[in-house]
Amino acid sequence: MTDLKGRTALITGSTSGIGLGIARTLADAGANIVLNGYGDVAGALSTVQSSGAAAIHHPADMRQPQQIEAMVHAAAERFGGVDILVNNAGIQHVAPVESFPPDSWDAILAINLTSSFHTIRHALPGMRARGWGRIVNIASVHGLVGSAGKSAYVAAKHGLVGLTKVTALETARTGITCNAICPGFVLTPLVAQQIADIAAKDDISRNAAQQRLLAEKQPSGQFVTPEQLGNLVLTLCSPLGAEIRGAALAMDGGWTAQ
Ligand code: NAD
């Protein structure tokens, strides 16, 4: 098993869903953890601390560049630096492009794309000084293909895949790697909301809405799990990951094979 003792991982948007699953896997492997996000902060902290990991939470709003800078500095102050940066915070809004609310567009671009530019630019100097680092951007299948109704999300995630490639090229001769992970549907609050919307719109049960959502896109008919994604991040942090650079790794039940 990969041993991350002495390493520090900062995971944005890690109080729920995929981010919390990744934080838990990295904590189990021995990393110090910096959590971020809203909601049940105490529950998220106790989840990662249950493996004995040292953990703090920082409340930075991923729409606010100065708060993002303060979060990276707080991580360095408490643990000496950020060795593993997982850019995971994300939100969704579904509407046709001509009626897409401009405020939602701005918020999605800020949280799902621009926040990663800021975390990367603040965390990279320390990684370069220490000669090792792992940057993992949680993009989406929507970083590779589109879906109707998701203009801002698809634009942001394609942008995040682009930022991943450039960061990987600029660090290619160092011990720092940067990659994107592109999940298909994972059953988290973000997707539960879409299931609830389908159930309401089509007047069907939640279970039927869930099956409809999967049947439309994900050939396996199964959700990807936060634990599977956590273990993929762990692999990227292991020696096996040393020459995986600038990749957009799909874990999507076959979605993008179609
Ligand atoms: P989620 O809603 O369960 O978690 C989102 C996290 O981001 C939460 O911790 C929330 O508090 C945090 N967050 C939201 N706005 C924030 C802000 N302004 N500042 C700081 N934190 C903020 O969602 P999830 O499904 O776990 O999604 C996590 C990531 O995975 C997102 O980037 C999402 O686009 C991506 N993703 C999700 C799926 C899926 O099917 N669930 C598929 C592909 C990609």
Side-chain angles (χ1 to χ4, degrees), residues 13 15-16 18 38 61-62 88 111 139 153 157 183-184 186 188-189 191:
T15 48
S16 105
I18 294 170
Y38 310 136
D61 179 343
M62 290 301 105
N88 168 80
I111 296 169
Y153 189 86
K157 295 297 189 181
V186 187
T188 67
V191 164

Side-chain angles (χ1 to χ4, degrees), residues 120-179:
I120 290 170
R121 75 191 178 90
H122 292 304
L124 250 185
M127 291 179 181
R128 285 194 192 276
R130 290 184 297 279
W132 192 91
R134 292 287 182 269
I135 301 170
V136 184
N137 297 324
I138 305 303
S140 166
V141 285
H142 288 116
L144 305 170
V145 296
S147 288
K150 299 186 176 175
S151 55
Y153 189 86
V154 170
K157 295 297 189 181
H158 274 69
L160 188 56
V161 170
L163 175 63
T164 301
K165 292 176 181 172
V166 173
T167 306
L169 291 174
E170 293 181 4
T171 53
R173 291 195 173 252
T174 74
I176 304 160
T177 70
C178 180
N179 292 286

Side-chain angles (χ1 to χ4, degrees), residues 226-249:
E227 292 70 30
Q228 290 164 342
L229 292 164
N231 279 293
L232 184 52
V233 174
L234 191 59
T235 301
L236 291 171
C237 294
S238 76
L240 189 67
E243 289 308 326
I244 303 176
R245 294 175 184 269
L249 303 165

Side-chain angles (χ1 to χ4, degrees), residues 62-238:
M62 290 301 105
R63 290 167 295 191
Q64 303 294 339
Q66 285 169 349
Q67 293 184 25
I68 295 171
E69 182 175 11
M71 176 179 68
V72 176
H73 287 158
E77 219 161 80
R78 173 66 176 82
F79 294 121
V82 175
D83 305 299
I84 299 163
L85 170 64
V86 183
N87 288 309
N88 168 80
I91 59 168
Q92 175 66 285
H93 184 87
V94 181
V97 67
E98 68 272 31
S99 56
F100 207 91
D103 286 353
S104 297
W105 172 278
D106 288 344
I108 289 173
L109 268 287
I111 296 169
N112 297 18
L113 174 58
T114 306
S115 71
S116 300
F117 161 65
H118 293 300
T119 54
I120 290 170
R121 75 191 178 90
H122 292 304
L124 250 185
M127 291 179 181
R128 285 194 192 276
R130 290 184 297 279
W132 192 91
R134 292 287 182 269
I135 301 170
V136 184
N137 297 324
I138 305 303
S140 166
V141 285
H142 288 116
L144 305 170
V145 296
S147 288
K150 299 186 176 175
S151 55
Y153 189 86
V154 170
K157 295 297 189 181
H158 274 69
L160 188 56
V161 170
L163 175 63
T164 301
K165 292 176 181 172
V166 173
T167 306
L169 291 174
E170 293 181 4
T171 53
R173 291 195 173 252
T174 74
I176 304 160
T177 70
C178 180
N179 292 286
I181 294 178
C182 300
F185 282 128
V186 187
L187 192 50
T188 67
L190 184 141
V191 164
Q193 184 57 49
Q194 293 174 58
I195 291 168
D197 291 347
I198 292 171
K201 185 168 72 64
D202 298 350
D203 195 20
I204 54 176
S205 71
R206 278 192 185 218
N207 204 27
Q210 191 169 298
Q211 293 315 316
R212 190 169 291 181
L213 185 86
L214 285 172
E216 198 192 324
K217 298 284 189 182
Q218 202 144 301
S220 68
Q222 306 289 326
F223 286 107
V224 177
T225 68
E227 292 70 30
Q228 290 164 342
L229 292 164
N231 279 293
L232 184 52
V233 174
L234 191 59
T235 301
L236 291 171
C237 294
S238 76

